Amino acid sequence: MTGAHLSDPTFRPILIVLDGKPVTELPEEDRRFLFLAEPLFPGNYNLFFRHGEYLGKEKKDFNEAIPRLKKALEIQPKSREVFDVLAFCHEQLKQTADELRCWESLREIVELSTDSADLGYQEKVFKSLGKLANENGKDIVRRNRFIVYVPHKSEYDFVLDELSDSRLEEIYAQVTGDLDCIPDSRTSILVLTPDEFADVKPTSWAGAFAEGKKSMTLPVTLFSKTKPDKPLPCRRVIVHEYTHNIVHISAGGKCPKWLNEGMAEYEESKNDSFIEYIPISSRKSMNFDPLLTPEELEKKFQDIKSQEGGPEVQKAYFQAKLFARFLVEKFTLAGVRQILNGIKGNMTTEAVLKEVTQLSLPAFQAQFKKWLRELDK
């Protein structure tokens, strides 16, 4: 701790907080200087964490504590102790969705850790997630690769049998293998009743999963009772949604919609051998005229995002699938992985496509059209 501000006698008493000591070790009369110190030490993690911790745990002033704890997370995004206290504050304010986001974020950090210091956090995380699940009428089950939430109701008990480890492992192997991306934590699968699925809101417990990008929310109506040796009826849907999760990680959350949806459509169109494709329908049957460039298709996805279905939505998803299949067939899955990595590094679509394909955007589009004509023969 150096600088002109620290030579000011006013701030000398709070040096112990800047160095990481709890605010409670500071004399009561000196604690007011913490507010004055914040704009002067905007990068000091200890100041914002300890001040937020004190305001939340001791003063019960949760609305003042939360922004300081979030500021501490900006400085140290993987701080276990901050997420722990932040979850407590949201719990006290009955902000269920925000509390869940804290525990899910903390789970991602500590779940696969072998550090002895993280073991206590691991148990606390799952205890808290279990409590929230129970409060929202769900059971939580830890699978090898996924965490499954299912309704309490006995009529839905069969869903856990459907989402067996062997079936989920097959999906995991396909998608992570193709994209060469192993997630740091298990993906959550939230199964909802029809009414719950129709009523998902960002502020709700289920809504926190839906917007997390690293989980999937599914209606229970997708499932039916099958024999263990039979394929999972909703396998394609889960593959599609899981591909979104892995693409999100691979591209650092920056993947354009046309490629994200294209790869999800591509992955779900593969059969159980992971090698052969389910036959693709002719572009003529989709009345595909004109063909869009990647940028135009991205804009198209923005324009139709509020639409539930219809010809325009079908055409956008179909062309996204065609783009993905073209990239894989001509430049291999390694090329797709390179594109996602470039996007993660903030490259533009045009730049990353040129780097991987050695084609300008007009030349790329021309090659795509040529490939599509050959596909139509």
Side-chain angles (χ1 to χ4, degrees), residues 246-270:
I246 301 303
V247 166
H248 178 84
I249 296 169
S250 298
K254 304 170 188 174
C255 188
K257 186 84 169 177
W258 70 268
L259 182 57
N260 198 338
E261 292 297 346
M263 286 308 299
E265 292 280 317
Y266 164 85
E267 287 292 332
E268 76 161 79
S269 294
K270 297 170 78 171

Side-chain angles (χ1 to χ4, degrees), residues 26-44:
L26 195 64
E28 185 81 37
E29 62 272 16
D30 292 330
R31 295 174 189 175
R32 59 192 175 91
F33 294 122
L34 295 170
F35 291 97
L36 299 175
E38 288 176 350
L40 301 177
F41 304 98
N44 188 286

Side-chain angles (χ1 to χ4, degrees), residues 161-162 164 166-167 170 225-233:
D161 296 327
E162 293 300 301
S164 64
S166 59
R167 283 170 162 175
E170 186 183 51
K225 293 181 182 179
T226 59
K227 294 181 179 180
D229 60 338
K230 298 296 183 181
L232 182 64

